[in-house]
Amino acid sequence: MAAKSFDMIVIGAGPGGYVAAIRGAQLGLSVAIVEREHMGGICLNWGCIPTKAMLRSSEVFHLMHRAKEFGLAADNISYDLEAVVKRSRGVAAQLSGGISHLMKKNKITTVMGEATVTAKGKVSVKTEKGAEELSAKHIVLATGARARELPGLEADGDLVWTYKHALTPPRMPKKLLVIGSGAIGIEFASFYNTLGADTTVVEVMDRVLPVEDAEISAFAKKQFVKQGMKIMEKAMVKQLDRAKGKVTAHIETGGKIETQEFDTVISAVGIVGNVEGLGLEALGVTIDRSHVVVDDYCRTGVEGLYAIGDIAGAPWLAHKASHEGVMVAELIAGQKPHAVRPESIAGCTYCHPQVASVGYSEAKAKELGYEVKVGRFPFVGNGKAIALGEPEGMVKTVFDAKTGELLGAHMVGAEVTELIQGYVVGRQLETTEEDLMQTVFPHPTLSEMMHESVLDAYGRAIHF
């Protein structure tokens, strides 16, 4: 059977792959996309989207407990975990169906099955009906990543969970251990802690949310502890002893090992790229620690072969994958796109309080040799935050003292994942402190704190 021929084949239909396919189709390329499991990938089905739906439920639950503060009454407050999960799965299903619709609308050929790149420009897909052969001058790898499993800490779906089990929990944990305090770990810790699980978080680095600015991490930690979480930093889970209905964790901290008992463990210790079974080694693709090595334009070094998103390394964020997908499609179509700069990509964590940042932390900027001016503004000085009943938080901005360039912005508090985009746009437009100071921010909004933080960096804050 002759191979079906296309201009571009995309392997993986997550936020990197499906976006690359749509952009390619918009530019007049004939496109095929191969997906082995779910349209929308992990992000839509088992990551970003369903976790936000669940976190929204816990946020509303938390607010219900505060009803009295707002002059309201809510009695016998409870939750139905099954219904919370059902809503979350419904949100994911709705969006996954939407991706299939977008593929049809853009006349993209969808092939469900497992792909292998058999030679340059050749892809073989193992489908339910047998093998399907495809060919294209350009192949985009967008196969994503999966949870990293550490020896002895492997998930079993009963006592020890990965993010997938945590999204469709067999029960509500009473005493929960979360290993890892990156975005995934801290979001699940936040969700289950709010619903009443006695939650302990173990982090191997010297602070929670280790990729964030140190001041923001410290602020967030204080809030987590206030909510009843136990946080163990510079600590490592060495072993898990599993018995019926309980896990004994051996935790090394300060050179000593202590044991604690839990009924549930969530492992969130990072991810590994899905590089196996694609035939990459035979093609001569360089793989470093489970990630495909690429240049600034996501080219692998093998002619006509690109890798985008999680498989191409950090930062492991859906919006980075999507942007790379657009860039690669434009490159294939003969345009001249800009490379994606990691420091221009915002990170958002939807714990309670939310955390968001873009650019360099204060420490990173100094390490890179910048002389910095730093501004801060607390939520407690903002009228809208007080009116919302959300006075806990801060906005921090880092500027180059010489040029006034905005080097980084870091926030913790209510709705900061929405606010961060203001600074992202500012950095994209190469804004300086002067531009930001001259901007009129609407009142009363949380965004006014972004203005005040800039003013504070130059000793001009008005409301604090």
Side-chain angles (χ1 to χ4, degrees):
M1 185 177 107
K4 286 186 195 157
S5 162
F6 300 89
D7 295 323
M8 168 177 161
I9 298 167
V10 182
I11 302 175
Y18 86 72
V19 169
I22 291 172
R23 185 68 187 124
Q26 284 176 347
L27 293 167
L29 302 173
S30 62
V31 183
I33 193 162
V34 183
E35 170 54 48
R36 68 175 179 189
E37 235 172 330
H38 320 276
M39 298 307 285
I42 293 294
C43 174
L44 232 106
N45 295 279
W46 294 104
C48 332
I49 301 296
T51 52
K52 300 319 155 273
M54 282 173 77
L55 284 156
R56 177 64 171 158
S57 293
S58 71
E59 187 183 1
V60 173
F61 184 66
H62 170 75
L63 279 170
M64 287 161 78
H65 279 93
R66 293 178 57 194
K68 205 170 163 195
E69 275 178 54
F70 296 92
L72 308 170
D75 302 319
N76 305 319
I77 299 159
S78 66
Y79 63 84
D80 174 350
L81 186 60
E82 207 176 307
V84 168
V85 170
K86 190 178 170 195
R87 174 179 182 269
S88 156
R89 299 318 306 153
V91 169
Q94 181 183 340
L95 288 165
S96 185
I99 303 301
S100 296
H101 166 73
L102 287 172
M103 295 300 105
K104 286 194 188 84
K105 184 186 153 197
N106 286 282
K107 300 182 174 53
I108 293 158
T109 303
T110 303
V111 184
M112 296 303 288
E114 291 223 19
T116 308
V117 185
T118 49
K120 222 158 61 173
K122 300 265 184 279
V123 174
S124 180
V125 186
K126 201 161 80 197
T127 70
E128 281 176 359
K129 294 178 187 150
E132 198 165 321
E133 306 303 324
L134 313 173
S135 75
K137 200 170 160 191
H138 303 278
I139 297 169
V140 181
L141 304 169
T143 53
R146 60 184 184 277
R148 182 187 294 280
E149 299 239 55
L150 295 179
L153 313 184
E154 293 93 353
D156 52 40
D158 173 24
L159 299 167
V160 184
W161 301 351
T162 63
Y163 59 86
K164 274 195 179 180
H165 307 118
L167 279 168
T168 51
R171 61 169 187 283
M172 175 66 196
K174 287 187 186 69
K175 198 155 184 282
L176 171 67
L177 169 64
V178 177
I179 309 173
S181 76
I184 296 172
I186 218 75
E187 285 182 0
F188 281 125
S190 213
F191 173 77
Y192 284 109
N193 188 65
T194 302
L195 294 190
D198 175 357
T199 305
T200 300
V201 178
V202 171
E203 171 55 57
V204 73
M205 305 296 278
D206 60 354
R207 54 196 172 87
V208 290
L209 294 166
V211 303
E212 298 298 337
D213 184 88
E215 233 175 308
I216 301 294
S217 288
F219 190 103
K221 179 190 174 179
K222 214 152 70 189
Q223 298 306 312
F224 299 150
V225 170
K226 215 180 195 174
Q227 292 160 24
M229 268 188 225
K230 290 170 207 63
I231 307 272
M232 299 176 73
E233 293 156 329
K234 289 192 192 162
M236 190 186 260
V237 178
K238 301 299 268 186
Q239 128 189 22
L240 297 174
D241 301 335
R242 305 168 205 227
K244 192 169 167 34
K246 67 170 191 183
V247 180
T248 306
H250 299 249
I251 305 167
E252 186 183 327
T253 168
K256 291 197 288 287
I257 291 197
E258 57 174 87
T259 58
Q260 288 189 43
E261 224 170 77
F262 300 92
D263 63 52
T264 311
V265 178
I266 295 175
S267 175
V269 290
I271 61 172
V272 289
N274 293 322
V275 291
E276 305 84 358
L278 289 165
L280 302 184
E281 292 84 353
L283 290 165
V285 173
T286 309
I287 294 169
D288 177 28
R289 286 166 299 186
S290 88
H291 293 92
V292 173
V293 177
V294 294
D295 68 5
D296 287 352
Y297 289 93
C298 294
R299 294 177 288 218
T300 63
V302 173
E303 198 192 349
L305 189 65
Y306 308 79
I308 62 171
D310 286 357
I311 192 184
W316 296 290
L317 298 165
H319 44 286
K320 172 241 192 199
S322 297
H323 213 77
E324 286 178 342
V326 169
M327 175 188 73
V328 164
E330 290 179 353
L331 205 61
I332 289 169
Q335 299 196 346
K336 291 188 170 63
H338 290 286
V340 180
R341 296 202 319 274
E343 66 277 9
S344 66
I345 297 166
C348 296
T349 307
Y350 298 78
C351 44
H352 186 85
Q354 293 182 3
V355 176
S357 60
V358 67
Y360 303 130
S361 65
E362 183 182 351
K364 183 71 181 167
K366 286 176 176 168
E367 187 193 309
L368 290 168
Y370 288 101
E371 190 189 324
V372 298
K373 278 191 185 291
V374 179
R376 297 170 187 82
F377 196 81
F379 271 51
V380 76
N382 176 264
K384 177 77 181 287
I386 303 293
L388 286 174
E390 298 285 357
E392 303 290 349
M394 74 179 279
V395 177
K396 176 176 178 178
T397 43
V398 182
F399 291 90
D400 180 346
K402 291 193 177 78
T403 64
E405 181 193 350
L406 175 64
L407 296 173
H410 310 274
M411 309 174 168
V412 56
E415 299 306 331
V416 296
T417 55
E418 294 292 341
L419 292 176
I420 193 67
Q421 187 58 13
Y423 287 133
V424 175
V425 171
R427 276 176 56 82
Q428 188 64 25
L429 299 176
E430 300 184 349
T431 189
T432 63
E433 91 291 358
E434 203 175 330
D435 299 322
L436 290 168
M437 286 181 189
Q438 299 299 334
T439 303
V440 183
F441 285 73
H443 174 79
T445 62
L446 296 174
S447 72
E448 290 173 277
M449 292 184 283
M450 297 165 64
H451 194 212
E452 292 273 14
S453 177
V454 174
L455 292 169
D456 182 59
Y458 290 83
R460 289 178 48 180
I462 304 287
H463 290 97
F464 201 69

